[in-house]
């Protein structure tokens, strides 16, 4: 440890592990340190089930009822991967997939007026969906055909739309889409967190819808994937990648201080030893004075002994409740996984309901999501502070990730990682730098 590195990464949460892998692949000499003796940090998987009950101060589970504790892998921050999204591309291109196995998620639903509906994504589904009236169906079908045919580098496909200067709201208006249709398009298809996007260029909306439909096209049931045995395998996969490229990992290592000279980072101190470096990457917990709290996230892990009602008995699914449907400023997210992903005992299901906290009664805020689940055997509620860095790190050479948000998918996580990488290196991540091996292609 008593030597010089290009980069030191603190914490083995998923964001930090992805960055460590990307930096190593780009030729940087990386030291990766975690104060914990396990991988994952805030995004760890808990196994056996007894540890989850202990963590939340609940009486230990009965194996006769809940099955073997070792059959459970419960993610504290469960998130699905878009099949054609950034994280999957990174996994495939880096070869991390050789350590992991993925399975598609069965359903993708959206909430409207107290009921849930399958998210329509193509012309056929648009015309058969109960989400819309007959005339709205046709308007939405025309909108989807336009998005499907749209090519950014071919103005002939733009029809009479100028996607750079027309806003998302103006595009909706052009196709005559009503507020409900705008709601599920923006939140369940394009996966926006709030309605700020309606004033942004329409190109961004079109790209996001295309990502959803391209992801759906890969596996058919839904656009989402989830790893067998839960997300805890992901950080370890990236750790192995970093090691292949010469990275050094040290778990169970205290970080006493991030060392500065003037306003810039020069290393870290651990047990009286200083490891020098040019840049430090970390999660907010390693240097609280350099982050600001911008909100809170409520998460409720629910153990069920049945699928979520009205999802065609799906063994895994996602439901998005758009903010306007429940008079909120932020969406509510519901995810469900089960034994089909090797994360629970046979006959058991793990649901997560999450959202950004807006009032003094957070659990009441997610009631619309909890009400969709049917009978709940056990609940584990947590409220986490959401932190963001106070500066971009370009001068201090200290690059801090944001906390994990309430979304049930990884797209915002990846955007944060790629943004940090670009700020730190001054360039976009170049996927072609990665050594591909024949068996990974």
């Amino acid at each position: 440890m008593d030597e010089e590195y290009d980069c030191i990464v603190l914490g083995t949460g998923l964001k930090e592990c992805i960055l460590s892998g990307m930096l190593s692949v780009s030729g940087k000499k990386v030291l990766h340190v975690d104060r914990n003796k396990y991988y994952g940090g805030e995004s760890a998987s808990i196994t056996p089930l007894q540890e989850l009950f202990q963590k939340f101060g609940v009486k230990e589970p009965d194996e006769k009822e809940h099955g073997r504790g070792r059959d459970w892998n419960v993610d504290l921050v469960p998130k699905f991967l878009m099949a054609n999204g950034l994280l999957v591309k990174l996994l495939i291109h880096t070869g991390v997939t050789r350590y992991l196995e993925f399975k598609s998620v069965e359903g993708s639903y959206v909430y409207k007026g107290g009921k849930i509906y399958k998210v329509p994504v193509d012309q056929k589904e648009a015309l058969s969906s109960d989400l819309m009236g007959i005339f709205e169906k046709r308007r939405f079908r025309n909108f989807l055909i336009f998005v499907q045919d749209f090519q950014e580098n071919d103005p002939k496909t733009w029809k009479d739309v100028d996607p750079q200067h027309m806003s998302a709201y103006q595009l909706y208006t052009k196709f005559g889409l009503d507020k409900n249709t705008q709601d599920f398009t923006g939140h369940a298809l394009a996966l926006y967190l709030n309605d700020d996007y309606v004033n942004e260029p329409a190109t961004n909306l079109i790209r996001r819808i295309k990502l959803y439909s391209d992801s759906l096209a890969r596996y058919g049931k839904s656009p989402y994937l989830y790893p067998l045995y839960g997300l805890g395998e992901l950080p370890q996969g990236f750790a192995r990648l970093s090691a292949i490229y010469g990275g050094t990992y040290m778990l169970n290592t205290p970080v006493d201080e991030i060392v500065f000279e003037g306003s810039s980072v020069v290393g870290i101190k651990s047990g009286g030893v200083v490891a020098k470096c040019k840049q430090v990457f970390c999660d907010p917990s390693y240097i609280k004075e350099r982050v600001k709290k911008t909100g809170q996230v409520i998460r409720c892990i629910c153990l069920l002994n049945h699928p979520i009602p009205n999802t065609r008995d799906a063994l895994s699914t996602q439901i998005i409740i758009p903010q306007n449907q429940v008079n909120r400023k932020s969406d509510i997210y519901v995810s469900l996984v089960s034994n089909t992903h090797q994360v629970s005992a046979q006959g058991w299901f793990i649901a997560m309901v999450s959202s950004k906290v807006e009032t003094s009664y957070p659990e009441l805020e997610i009631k619309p999501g909890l009400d969709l689940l049917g009978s709940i055997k056990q609940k584990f509620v947590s409220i986490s502070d959401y932190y963001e860095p106070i500066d971009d790190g370009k001068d201090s050479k200290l690059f801090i990730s944001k906390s994990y948000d309430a979304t049930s998918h990884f797209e915002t996580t990846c955007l944060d990682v790629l943004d940090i990488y670009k700020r730190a290196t001054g360039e976009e991540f170049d996927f072609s730098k990665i050594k591909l091996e024949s068996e990974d292609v």
Side-chain angles (χ1 to χ4, degrees):
M1 183 172 172
D2 190 9
E3 53 184 295
E4 188 156 345
Y5 300 86
D6 293 316
C7 311
I8 296 178
V9 181
L10 305 178
T12 53
L14 187 61
K15 289 184 184 182
E16 284 65 44
C17 285
I18 296 173
L19 279 164
S20 181
M22 291 165 75
L23 293 163
S24 298
V25 160
S26 299
K28 306 287 187 189
K29 184 179 178 183
V30 176
L31 171 66
H32 200 149
V33 176
D34 196 315
R35 61 167 85 92
N36 299 310
K37 59 185 177 185
Y38 56 85
Y39 285 99
E42 199 186 332
S43 54
S45 285
I46 304 294
T47 187
L49 186 62
Q50 288 82 348
E51 283 196 18
L52 180 71
F53 279 66
Q54 286 165 13
K55 181 177 173 62
F56 285 89
V58 177
K59 184 185 171 189
E60 290 209 4
D62 179 359
E63 281 211 354
K64 286 180 185 171
E65 185 182 6
H66 293 88
R68 284 192 322 165
R70 291 256 162 228
D71 289 341
W72 293 77
N73 291 279
V74 183
D75 291 321
L76 296 179
V77 185
K79 287 180 183 285
F80 294 149
L81 294 81
M82 292 287 274
N84 213 39
L86 296 167
L87 182 52
V88 168
K89 286 180 178 175
L90 200 59
L91 288 166
I92 291 168
H93 284 291
T94 54
V96 172
T97 41
R98 82 188 85 165
Y99 311 118
L100 302 163
E101 194 174 338
F102 291 88
K103 199 168 181 180
S104 61
V105 172
E106 289 182 23
S108 179
Y109 291 83
V110 65
Y111 177 100
K112 178 193 168 192
K115 294 182 180 177
I116 58 172
Y117 301 85
K118 188 178 185 303
V119 177
V121 76
D122 59 26
Q123 303 160 38
K124 185 180 172 187
E125 287 186 353
L127 290 176
S128 62
S129 174
D130 292 332
L131 265 171
M132 301 162 280
I134 188 163
F135 296 114
E136 185 68 8
K137 285 178 183 179
R138 296 191 180 280
R139 289 190 286 268
F140 183 60
R141 175 180 173 272
N142 292 336
F143 173 76
L144 284 181
I145 291 171
F146 165 76
V147 170
Q148 197 174 316
D149 294 342
F150 180 88
Q151 301 293 331
E152 271 188 70
N153 53 3
D154 184 3
K156 290 199 289 288
T157 66
W158 298 0
K159 308 289 169 64
D160 49 350
V161 169
D162 182 347
Q164 291 296 348
H165 295 96
M166 180 181 276
S167 70
Y169 177 74
Q170 289 169 324
L171 183 65
Y172 285 146
T173 304
K174 175 178 170 53
F175 283 90
L177 302 184
D178 70 21
K179 194 72 184 79
N180 276 326
T181 307
Q182 292 176 32
D183 247 9
F184 76 72
T185 301
H187 294 263
L189 279 174
L191 303 179
Y192 281 108
L193 308 186
N194 53 47
D195 281 346
D196 295 349
Y197 79 93
V198 296
N199 299 313
E200 295 173 4
T203 318
N204 299 342
L205 173 66
I206 294 167
R207 279 183 199 142
R208 283 171 169 251
I209 297 172
K210 285 175 88 71
L211 169 62
Y212 188 101
S213 57
D214 290 348
S215 296
L216 183 71
R218 289 192 70 169
Y219 298 104
K221 288 182 180 177
S222 87
Y224 302 109
L225 301 174
Y226 198 69
L228 293 187
Y229 306 105
L231 295 174
E233 301 296 305
L234 274 172
Q236 294 183 58
F238 277 102
R240 291 188 191 111
L241 172 75
S242 180
I244 288 168
Y245 282 84
T248 303
Y249 268 75
M250 298 178 71
L251 292 178
N252 204 18
T253 303
V255 178
D256 303 322
E257 184 187 347
I258 296 175
V259 183
F260 289 82
E261 271 184 18
S263 59
S264 296
V265 159
V266 292
I268 67 158
K269 186 184 284 186
S270 174
V273 178
V274 174
K276 294 184 177 178
C277 65
K278 296 165 188 166
Q279 296 176 318
V280 169
F281 300 78
C282 66
D283 70 50
S285 70
Y286 280 86
I287 186 156
K288 287 284 182 71
E289 65 270 22
R290 294 278 180 144
V291 295
K292 60 184 176 185
K293 179 181 166 182
T294 56
Q296 289 184 307
V297 174
I298 178 168
R299 296 184 177 92
C300 183
I301 298 169
C302 302
L303 306 187
L304 317 176
N305 59 1
H306 56 82
I308 295 177
N310 307 310
T311 60
R312 303 175 190 174
D313 289 338
L315 300 176
S316 55
T317 193
Q318 175 180 258
I319 305 167
I320 291 179
I321 304 178
Q323 55 185 51
N324 294 326
Q325 293 296 321
V326 283
N327 298 314
R328 288 173 51 76
K329 296 173 188 166
S330 351
D331 295 352
I332 299 170
Y333 300 88
V334 179
S335 64
L336 181 85
V337 286
S338 66
N339 182 253
T340 190
H341 284 94
Q342 306 293 325
V343 294
S344 66
Q346 192 72 38
W348 284 89
F349 299 79
I350 305 168
M352 170 71 89
V353 182
S354 56
S355 190
K356 191 174 178 180
V357 174
E358 295 179 5
T359 71
S360 304
Y361 306 98
E363 203 168 337
L364 200 58
E365 294 181 49
I366 59 170
K367 189 175 182 297
L370 294 171
D371 287 348
L372 296 175
L373 301 182
S375 62
I376 299 168
K377 283 292 188 178
Q378 184 68 53
K379 282 194 302 190
F380 306 93
V381 180
S382 65
I383 296 168
S384 311
D385 291 337
Y386 185 87
Y387 293 104
E388 296 183 28
I390 57 175
D391 65 70
D392 62 12
K394 289 178 181 175
D395 293 327
S396 64
K397 307 304 177 191
L398 174 64
F399 300 92
I400 308 169
S401 61
K402 297 175 184 175
S403 301
Y404 293 94
D405 63 21
T407 59
S408 49
H409 53 79
F410 265 118
E411 291 310 290
T412 50
T413 301
C414 289
L415 291 173
D416 189 27
V417 167
L418 291 171
D419 180 51
I420 291 170
Y421 182 87
K422 186 177 179 181
R423 277 186 275 130
T425 64
E427 57 186 35
E428 305 279 354
F429 181 64
D430 182 359
F431 286 90
S432 68
K433 285 181 181 174
I434 298 158
K435 303 170 196 165
L436 284 176
E437 296 185 13
S438 56
E439 67 266 26
D440 300 320
V441 179

